[in-house]
Amino acid sequence: MTPMKEDYLKIIFELGGGKQQVSNKQISLGLGIAAGSVTEMITKLDDEGLVTHQPYAGIQLTPKGIKYAAELVRKHRLWETFLVDKLGYNVADVHPEAEVLEHETSDRLATALDAFLAHPQNCPHGGVIPSAAGEFRAVSHRLLADAADGETVVVERFLDNHELLTYLSELGVHLYDRLTIVKHEPFEGPVVVQPVAGGDPISISYKAAHNLFINEAPED
């Protein structure tokens, strides 16, 4: 399987495509590529039995696709955790290294790495780490872009993208921050948020707001 096909499987998995349908637009924004290219690749993955595609409805991983994606994601995120926790890498810089290491990692090595790291549940950017059996707990797939004005939310995870993670770090947006949605600027403008902890409002770009997952903020 080509690296590009694997990237598609991983992004569909991360967007929630193992349990629900995701759109071409979500995949396009997540990978930073044209929607037309997404359609072409999804057709190939459909032909290989890795996804199902219902026009105007969405794309979802098949059981075969879930198994393949979960294995890739598990190894990738274990290495990301190792690089950050044990070697002191910056979170934004680990993706390329983990991309290489995941393809050289046997199941035995992944099991040993998991044990060495004390069985982490999440990677450094908040993504869930599947078990060796391919099982993974439910996470929110709600996007910041979909939050309502005036709502207070908590940041649960980010898509695994160097540019995105660098951008959010520069803005001062971190995992588990509580944010109140001030407004959505029109014409695919930014989402303006107010950190509950204080400070100035932050404008998060349209694209980043579609790559950042939230959950309802717990009551104090």
Side-chain angles (χ1 to χ4, degrees), residues 6 18-19 53 57 59 66 68 77 104 143 160 168 197-198 215:
E6 292 179 344
K19 298 181 182 296
H53 179 212
I59 298 131
I66 292 172
Y68 201 100
R77 291 178 176 170
E104 303 300 325
L143 301 171
D160 188 5
L168 292 174
N215 223 326

Side-chain angles (χ1 to χ4, degrees), residues 19-104:
K19 298 181 182 296
Q20 63 189 37
Q21 292 180 324
V22 300
S23 68
N24 275 37
K25 181 178 180 180
Q26 287 177 283
I27 297 170
S28 174
L29 287 167
L31 291 175
I33 58 178
S37 299
V38 172
T39 301
E40 182 179 347
M41 180 59 78
I42 292 302
T43 299
K44 293 178 181 179
L45 294 175
D46 194 354
D47 290 342
E48 293 178 25
L50 295 166
V51 304
T52 57
H53 179 212
Q54 298 180 13
Y56 310 108
I59 298 131
Q60 189 167 357
L61 294 169
T62 63
K64 176 182 176 182
I66 292 172
K67 183 177 183 299
Y68 201 100
E71 181 179 336
L72 287 170
V73 167
R74 169 178 165 77
K75 293 175 179 177
H76 186 96
R77 291 178 176 170
L78 284 172
W79 280 118
E80 287 188 326
T81 304
F82 174 81
L83 291 169
V84 171
D85 291 356
K86 303 302 180 182
L87 298 187
Y89 271 63
N90 186 290
V91 174
D93 298 331
V94 295
H95 178 75
E97 304 278 17
E99 193 81 4
V100 173
L101 290 165
E102 74 183 54
H103 294 104
E104 303 300 325

Side-chain angles (χ1 to χ4, degrees), residues 154-171:
V154 62
V155 177
E156 183 171 279
R157 60 192 176 92
F158 310 127
L159 283 189
D160 188 5
N161 177 283
H162 172 77
E163 183 182 356
L164 171 71
L165 294 171
T166 301
Y167 170 74
L168 292 174
S169 178
E170 291 173 349
L171 287 181

Side-chain angles (χ1 to χ4, degrees), residues 152-153 172 174 176-180 193-200 202:
T152 298
V153 301
H174 308 288
Y176 316 122
D177 282 355
R178 290 163 62 110
L179 308 171
T180 298
V193 302
Q194 175 64 54
V196 172
D200 296 329
I202 301 171

Side-chain angles (χ1 to χ4, degrees), residues 97-171:
E97 304 278 17
E99 193 81 4
V100 173
L101 290 165
E102 74 183 54
H103 294 104
E104 303 300 325
T105 303
S106 66
D107 291 344
R108 180 182 178 184
L109 177 55
T111 298
L113 184 60
D114 184 33
F116 176 73
L117 294 170
H119 310 292
Q121 298 296 302
N122 297 87
C123 71
H125 55 84
V128 66
I129 300 177
S131 70
E135 300 170 344
F136 49 94
R137 63 179 175 77
V139 294
S140 173
H141 296 104
R142 189 176 179 215
L143 301 171
L144 177 69
D146 297 330
D149 290 355
E151 183 179 4
T152 298
V153 301
V154 62
V155 177
E156 183 171 279
R157 60 192 176 92
F158 310 127
L159 283 189
D160 188 5
N161 177 283
H162 172 77
E163 183 182 356
L164 171 71
L165 294 171
T166 301
Y167 170 74
L168 292 174
S169 178
E170 291 173 349
L171 287 181

